[in-house]
Amino acid sequence: MFEELRPQFPILRNRIYLYSCSQGAFSDAVEEGMNRYRESWRTSADPWQDWMGAYEDLRRKFAAFINAAPEEIAIVTSASAGINPIASALSFRQRDKVVMSEHEFPTVGQIWLAQQARGAKIRFLDHPATAECYAAAIDERTAIVPLTQVSYLDGFRADVGEITRIAHQRGALVFLDGFQDCGTRPVDVKALDVDFFVTGTLKYLLGPAGLAFLYVRRELIEKIHPVVTSWMAQRDVFAFDAKRLDPAPEARRFEGGSPPVPNIYMALPALDLLSRAGLDRIASHIETLARTFHEGAREMRIQSKTPRASVGPLIVLRSKDAPAMAARLTERGFVVSSRRDGVRFSFHLYNSLEDVHAALRALENNLDLMERE
Ligand SMILES: Cc1ncc(COP(=O)(O)O)c(C=O)c1O
């Protein structure tokens, strides 16, 4: 469907790229963004003025991308840097429980575990955690439910709508981690009704590492008083008054220091590329690839860790030795990754049905390393 875009991703000339769950493919558009940054640094008479323009431009574009308002977006350097200011500002006095799946990305588990020192009590749910599992665990003592939209380990998709409904009914907040989904289909944080949303640019948003976004629902922003802060998080950034702490009334109050300007320049064209391609079209393309791949693996009786009904983007197949299998695929020209006993096959707009068939052929020739039914 996106054949015309493939030449814009140089690595696709030499490799079959099924690695977007780790890092999206580098594009000419992103290279152009790097060049623009270099030129601005080299030639601008007022570089910080230009860079602050790009930074606000990115905030507006990302806000539109997830149907939020720009003031609800903080630009940060990692998902962790977005979650920490919220976790460290919550009081665990009235409500001390944090309920999450054991399949959260490690940083999420670790950030909330660190809050045990401030009174948080962490409850991990066994995987796969259905909405019923959350319903049984969330109660009037629950402060927050950190929730991964798509598991990085097996592509399992959480029932965000139902879990959020249950959490809110019981007065708990929901913090959605969209890192393994955002960029593959439309995201509407208002329709999802979550309180916080975090994602980074390096995977399906096709940007670099070192840049992430935190969304905070408007009504919550000023009720949360960050204890992790910076000069860039103040109401008037250019007041330059070390004796005054006056956090911005926008989500910017959760930001760290000087923004990651080079990364911002790279992320802007990547977001434009995705928006121009159309998130609905991207979602339906990914679904076709994921379903075809899953079906092919099923015909070979390879065990899948991902539920059969998956629409992608991540399909994980069980291997007897996943790192060895990933190494064999690398030798055959693929870019893939493995986690624990799973080999991860991740699909994005630049992948084609030929990529899917090539991956299936490679599996067929290496069945000795795959777990079969
Ligand atoms: C689901 C998920 N959350 C978070 C992260 C990364 O967090 P951070 O940006 O803090 O490194 C990743 C991947 O690296 C991820 O897959």
Side-chain angles (χ1 to χ4, degrees):
M1 191 191 271
F2 295 105
E3 277 304 311
E4 74 288 358
L5 290 182
R6 283 174 62 90
Q8 298 174 30
F9 292 85
I11 195 163
L12 304 185
R13 288 171 213 149
N14 310 310
R15 295 211 153 253
I16 297 168
Y17 198 90
L18 303 174
Y19 190 69
S20 311
C21 55
S22 287
Q23 170 68 62
F26 184 68
S27 62
D28 294 345
V30 168
E31 186 162 15
E32 189 48 43
M34 288 169 92
N35 293 342
R36 271 206 296 280
Y37 169 65
R38 196 187 49 226
E39 277 316 294
S40 73
W41 192 6
R42 185 184 272 166
T43 61
S44 175
D46 193 353
W48 273 101
Q49 183 69 26
D50 297 349
W51 297 346
M52 289 300 101
Y55 159 73
E56 289 306 334
D57 199 17
L58 181 65
R59 192 191 309 280
R60 276 191 299 276
K61 283 200 168 147
F62 184 73
F65 201 81
I66 62 164
N67 191 31
E71 59 269 24
E72 294 175 303
I73 304 296
I75 296 178
V76 289
T77 52
S78 65
S80 308
I83 304 166
N84 265 310
I86 303 298
S88 56
L90 288 192
S91 147
F92 298 104
R93 277 192 298 277
Q94 310 285 325
R95 291 171 172 264
D96 56 2
K97 270 176 73 177
V98 180
V99 175
M100 72 180 102
S101 157
E102 60 180 350
H103 260 212
E104 290 299 309
F105 194 73
T107 209
V108 174
Q110 288 140 7
I111 287 171
W112 292 102
L113 283 169
Q115 298 306 320
Q116 290 176 129
R118 298 179 51 247
K121 296 197 171 59
I122 316 302
R123 165 83 198 275
F124 284 103
L125 304 177
D126 292 344
H127 182 70
T130 59
E132 291 72 45
C133 305
Y134 283 89
I138 299 170
D139 58 20
E140 71 292 344
R141 298 288 306 172
T142 307
I144 192 159
V145 178
L147 182 62
T148 289
Q149 202 164 5
V150 173
S151 164
Y152 74 106
L153 285 170
D154 65 3
F156 176 81
R157 196 170 271 279
D159 187 350
V160 179
E162 185 56 10
I163 296 165
T164 302
R165 196 189 62 72
I166 294 163
H168 284 168
Q169 200 180 49
R170 298 175 191 179
L173 298 165
V174 175
F175 199 136
L176 188 64
D177 174 354
F179 224 127
Q180 289 290 338
D181 177 76
C182 193
T184 68
R185 68 201 55 248
V187 180
D188 183 337
V189 285
K190 300 298 174 192
L192 289 169
D193 200 29
V194 295
D195 302 290
F196 308 96
F197 176 83
V198 76
T199 191
T201 58
L202 73 154
K203 301 177 194 291
Y204 297 96
L205 289 178
L206 307 181
L211 182 61
F213 304 100
L214 167 70
Y215 156 83
V216 182
R217 182 205 286 281
R218 186 185 278 108
E219 307 87 83
L220 287 172
I221 297 172
E222 288 191 79
K223 294 190 186 143
I224 304 173
H225 304 283
V227 292
V228 172
T229 191
S230 74
W231 68 298
M232 291 292 297
Q234 304 305 303
R235 187 184 302 267
D236 179 3
V237 174
F238 297 105
F240 295 115
D241 185 353
K243 292 187 183 166
R244 187 169 155 76
L245 174 67
D246 182 20
E250 303 99 35
R252 191 168 53 74
R253 63 164 51 203
F254 304 111
E255 292 188 5
S258 307
V261 178
N263 304 339
I264 288 170
Y265 270 77
M266 286 185 258
L268 275 165
L271 267 191
D272 286 343
L273 189 157
L274 291 168
S275 300
R276 268 200 312 275
L279 275 301
D280 279 315
R281 287 178 70 224
I282 295 173
S284 88
H285 178 65
I286 290 174
E287 179 173 348
T288 304
L289 301 181
R291 287 202 190 281
T292 310
F293 180 70
H294 226 173
E295 183 53 27
R298 195 189 60 77
E299 280 166 14
M300 286 185 265
R301 297 191 297 106
I302 297 171
Q303 288 182 24
S304 174
K305 296 178 64 117
T306 311
R308 287 290 177 201
S310 172
V311 294
L314 178 62
I315 307 288
V316 185
L317 302 180
R318 188 168 275 118
S319 169
K320 293 178 181 141
D321 184 342
M325 184 65 193
R328 275 198 202 169
L329 290 168
T330 305
E331 271 168 35
R332 301 187 64 149
F334 290 85
V335 186
V336 290
S337 56
S338 68
R339 295 287 180 271
R340 300 185 185 168
D341 61 347
V343 184
R344 305 196 300 173
F345 299 86
S346 150
F347 301 99
H348 208 341
L349 81 168
Y350 39 66
N351 293 116
S352 61
L353 273 172
E354 287 74 52
D355 292 348
V356 169
H357 293 305
L360 290 170
R361 277 195 304 278
L363 284 166
E364 196 171 14
N365 293 330
N366 290 278
L367 284 174
D368 57 312
L369 281 186
M370 301 309 292
E371 292 285 5
R372 317 274 301 278
E373 268 148 16

